Each structure stands twice: as C-alpha cells, then as structure tokens.
Amino acid sequence: MIFLKRQDEIALMRESGRIVAEALRVMAAAIVPGKTTTKELDEIGEAYIRSQGATPSFKNYRGFPASVCISVNDEVVHGIPSDRVLEEGDIVSLDVGAFKDGFHGDGAWTYPVGRISEEAQRLLNVTRESLMQGIAQCRESRKIGAIGHAVQTYVESNGYSVVRDLTGHGIGRNLHEDPSVPNFGKKGAGPAIKRGMTFCVEPMVNAGTWKVKTLSDGWTVVTADGSLSAHFEHTIAVTEDGPMVLTLPNEA
Ligand code: MG
C-alpha cells in the first residue's frame, strides 16, 4: 500500500532530509586519506544526527550494527563501519537515514578519497547524473518504471551496469514503504506516480557486471567481479510542480 503525504507531512520529511544531507556533508568533510576509519565516520554521522534531535534510522534496523552504511570501492551497499582506514584513491559510499517527528529521510553519496583515478571519477559522475535523470521522471501521470528506465538507459549508454538485486523504495513513517523503485526496466511498468508520493531514488552502478553477492557478514553487498561500484540517493516528494528533492542541505 502506498501512503500519500499531505503538505505538512512533506514539510516534516524535508527536515529529516535536511539532517541526512548535512550529516553526509559533515562526514565527507572529516575524511583524511590514510587516517580516517569508516568507524570514525559512522560516529561523526551519528553524533550529527543526534545533535539535530533526530535518531539514526539504520541503527539496529533489522539488526544493522551501526548508524551509517559505509561501502568502499567494490562494496556496493550495506558496508559495516570498521577499523578500515580510507586510503588515497578509494571511493567511499555513505548511506544514512534520519528519523525525526515521525518521519524518515534517506540519502547516499559516493565520495572520492583524496585523488582518484579518472575511471573512478567517471563512474561517480555517471552514477550521480543517472540519479538526476531518474528524478526528472518523478512526475504525475508517469509510471514508477519511467525512473528506472531513464537510469538504466543513461548508465548503459555510458558502458556501466545497474544493480538489479536492490531497488529504491517508498519512505515516510517507515524507512521502507511501497512502492519499490527499480533502477532498470520498462517505462510503463509499476504503479502510476501521484502527487504526495515520497520515495527514494537510489541507483547503484557497477563498472563491470551488474551481478552482486553478499559477504559472510550477512550485510556487505559487493560486485561479483570485484569492479568498482557507486551509489547516489535522494529522498523525493512528488508535487504539483514535479519532483522536490528533500535530502538537500539548507541553503546558506
Ligand atoms: Mg534507501
């Protein structure tokens, strides 16, 4: 069942989304190549979220042991923060959720650690742009499938592949709600997009095969061929005027 949100509910989600965006920014700014561990970033993210009167949506969600999913290089999503040090040339995906006043926000961004290869930078650029292409489809009268169709078309035309095993999702009072928002498929597939829908668009893009596997820790999803992977995510609301991105920082 898809829950449509009123204007006042979307305003609350905007606040949760702001906290997510600013937590990402604070964590990214703290990265020192060769020094910062993923566990330290998790602590910084959690402290920021709590300082805003919110709680980390992911902590203990289905038993996840941290506040931020941190996935490095060939790790796609759901990496568990650890003593791993981020090294010059790595790419690191930070995925974070914040819950405040009854509503969740959820967003992710993949950052370069120091100087990265041209190929890695291109993967980041293509994945970020595929998110924008997907968001542009979030308009009334289209189908949810139009989002994934746009993402897949853009990604594959750039020689990369889209992860199929994981999808975007509705969000609101629950971290995961209907509808499922795949990053691939047919334009006309899925439910109609309606005003008041709130969901996460989150392409996961691999430099090699789209196939993934889960490590024995039960969480970390990695590319099956060891290739690099990137992940960008925004929470959006569908309005009369089109998509409204909720996971943005406050304008200065
Ligand atoms: Mg999500």
Side-chain angles (χ1 to χ4, degrees), residues 205-228:
V205 174
N206 297 347
T209 175
W210 57 267
K211 291 187 178 149
V212 297
K213 57 186 185 187
T214 304
L215 297 185
S216 58
D217 63 18
W219 283 104
T220 314
V221 177
V222 300
T223 57
D225 60 4
S227 64
L228 289 178

Side-chain angles (χ1 to χ4, degrees), residues 58 95 106-107 167-169 171 175-176 200-202 231 233 235:
F58 298 174
D95 187 354
D106 183 6
T167 67
H169 51 92
I171 182 169
L175 181 58
H176 294 112
C200 294
V201 182
E202 50 175 319
H231 179 212
E233 172 180 27
T235 298

